[in-house]
Amino acid sequence: MTDPAPTAGTRLAGTATSGSALVDLIPSLPKVVLHDHLDGGLRPQTVLELADAVGHPLPAQDADALADWFQQAADSGSLVRYLETFDHTIAVMQTPEALARVAKEAVLDLAADGVVYAEQRWAPEQHLQRGMSLPETVEAVQAGIDAGIAEAAARGQVIRVGQLVTAMRHADRWREIADLAVAYRGAGVVGFDIAGAEDGFPPDRHLEVWHFLAENDFPVTIHAGEAAGVPSIAQAVHLGQADRIGHGVRIVEDIAFGTDSDGSPLATLGSLAHWVRDHQIPLEVCPVSNLQTGATEARTIAEHPITRLKELDFAVTLNTDNRLMSRTSMSHEMTRLVTEAGWTLDDLADVTVTAAWGAFVHHDERRAIVDDLVLPGYQTVEGALR
């Protein structure tokens, strides 16, 4: 695909293929992840070792048991309870060495899963408990990213990674963090985000932040449509001027699903749903995480809105959110969509290409990701399936 705009319906040369043969090849597919939290993707063994070094108590004392605890705690169906699991990961990420290690391991784990482009989002303000300054946190994470990219290259794995600097909604340090993000543009930071408790902390709390970022031509993604509904997405898009929407699955609340006179499926979009689709604003959808937090009424991957939204030509991208808490990976997310929702190779290519065109890098760099890394990998897998 060489179209410079994200669009649904990527089609490879051959037959759309699904099933067990495709599942076996998913690990080898090139992947793009736009919504992956650095503090939600630690290796359980790393959490244990870092916690021991700083004397932080944990709810389990071996890697397997700790992995079980994170997943079970996150399976509550409540975003608030889900967010409480981060108390442990953030507690062990309070030194430059710890931040660099976590960032390096994240890059290596993503590269091993076939990810060729990733954006790691995290909140620098949460990592100051042991004396680091905000700039020092960003530089420590970048050191880890650089080390991870170099080690992955030595293993023959190509990956590019950018930082998404996040402000916590409830802390009201938005402008300070926005200043930090812009200051480190060109030094690893590719965009700005707000995260945390969505309901009750809307973008209109600090309108000047969005004006500042727009005046500096700085990319923005905003968590919206996860714990709050259509009004939250509307503020993200219209006030926050978001280039992408973090999650965004509750846009389905602005769509009426039914049947026409012939009994065929019918979807009637509200004005906001039309706006999001017309402007092809990428939705950073995280199916496994959404089931855990109760972001949608869906209880299974087959019921998750991601498939309907993709069929309606929304700019859908597939993401992991928090690999530790959800015990997931991009390969795992893809596998579940293939086995439980009937996705094909074309469907996986579609969301990957859409994500690449939605990356917070320049146009020529996006094109190179699509043309040099994504499509050749999918064509290779397609050939193996013939």
Side-chain angles (χ1 to χ4, degrees):
M1 176 178 175
T2 57
D3 188 335
T7 180
T10 301
R11 288 293 174 262
L12 302 172
T15 305
T17 309
S18 61
S20 59
L22 172 57
V23 168
D24 291 341
L25 293 171
I26 283 176
S28 67
L29 287 173
K31 304 167 182 76
V32 175
V33 58
L34 304 178
H35 195 119
D36 188 85
H37 289 266
L38 183 65
D39 52 355
L42 284 73
R43 298 172 181 174
Q45 185 61 39
T46 296
V47 179
L48 285 169
E49 293 173 10
L50 293 178
D52 182 65
V54 297
H56 176 76
L58 292 171
Q61 301 307 314
D62 68 77
D64 290 340
L66 188 60
D68 289 340
W69 180 87
F70 273 108
Q71 182 179 21
Q72 291 163 7
D75 275 340
S76 64
S78 164
L79 180 59
V80 173
R81 180 72 181 94
Y82 184 96
L83 293 175
E84 288 176 2
T85 61
F86 290 87
D87 292 345
H88 296 293
T89 57
I90 290 171
V92 304
M93 296 168 64
Q94 296 296 329
T95 66
E97 295 77 16
L99 279 177
R101 174 180 175 177
V102 169
K104 175 184 175 180
E105 291 178 352
V107 173
L108 292 173
D109 291 345
L110 291 168
D113 191 37
V115 174
V116 296
Y117 178 85
E119 291 176 6
Q120 286 285 283
R121 64 184 66 200
W122 65 290
E125 66 196 78
Q126 294 186 306
H127 302 272
L128 309 177
Q129 297 171 16
R130 291 179 177 267
M132 279 191 291
S133 66
L134 289 172
E136 286 172 337
T137 66
V138 174
E139 291 165 10
V141 168
Q142 192 58 44
I145 288 174
D146 291 342
I149 290 172
E151 188 168 325
R155 299 176 182 179
Q157 299 163 337
V158 176
I159 185 171
R160 175 169 181 174
V161 182
Q163 293 189 49
L164 279 177
V165 168
T166 298
M168 300 307 294
R169 291 175 181 264
H170 64 280
D172 289 331
R173 298 179 69 171
W174 301 13
R175 178 54 192 265
E176 183 182 8
I177 303 304
D179 286 339
L180 177 72
V182 172
Y184 278 85
R185 165 190 248 156
V189 177
V190 298
F192 176 82
D193 175 36
I194 56 172
E198 179 184 356
D199 200 9
F201 298 92
D204 66 6
R205 287 171 66 89
H206 297 285
L207 290 177
E208 77 283 357
V209 168
W210 314 117
H211 296 312
F212 167 75
L213 292 165
E215 289 167 357
N216 281 275
D217 307 310
F218 201 74
V220 170
T221 179
I222 295 177
H223 278 73
E226 181 189 21
V230 172
S232 177
I233 298 172
Q235 282 212 17
V237 171
H238 297 310
L239 298 183
Q241 303 178 61
D243 302 286
R244 302 195 311 247
I245 303 171
H247 297 285
V249 289
R250 290 182 63 176
I251 194 66
V252 294
E253 296 172 8
D254 198 40
I255 305 172
F257 294 97
T259 56
D260 62 17
S261 57
D262 297 327
S264 300
L266 180 67
T268 304
L269 277 63
S271 60
L272 181 65
H274 271 302
W275 180 276
V276 170
R277 186 175 70 170
D278 291 347
H279 290 79
Q280 286 292 285
I281 300 171
L283 305 176
E284 303 164 355
V285 185
C286 310
V288 173
S289 171
N290 293 161
L291 296 186
Q292 288 181 302
T293 63
T296 78
E297 295 181 355
R299 294 295 176 265
T300 67
I301 292 294
E303 297 171 348
H304 192 282
I306 187 171
T307 302
R308 276 186 166 180
L309 290 170
K310 201 182 82 62
E311 289 171 346
L312 288 171
D313 288 349
F314 283 83
V316 171
T317 71
L318 179 64
N319 303 275
T320 49
D321 201 13
N322 298 290
R323 287 171 287 114
L324 172 61
M325 287 72 177
S326 295
R327 219 170 199 167
T328 193
S329 65
M330 286 297 289
S331 289
H332 180 71
E333 301 279 343
M334 288 180 167
T335 297
R336 292 195 62 178
L337 285 167
V338 169
T339 59
E340 300 176 42
W343 279 36
T344 66
L345 181 64
D346 282 338
D347 293 322
L348 299 180
D350 187 17
V351 295
T352 305
V353 168
T354 299
W357 281 117
F360 285 165
V361 293
H362 296 306
H363 175 86
D364 53 344
E365 297 169 280
R366 297 175 184 176
R367 182 180 293 280
I369 294 169
V370 172
D371 291 347
D372 299 340
L373 298 175
V374 173
L375 288 184
Y378 275 86
Q379 289 160 356
T380 296
V381 168
E382 183 193 33
L385 291 170
R386 288 178 184 168

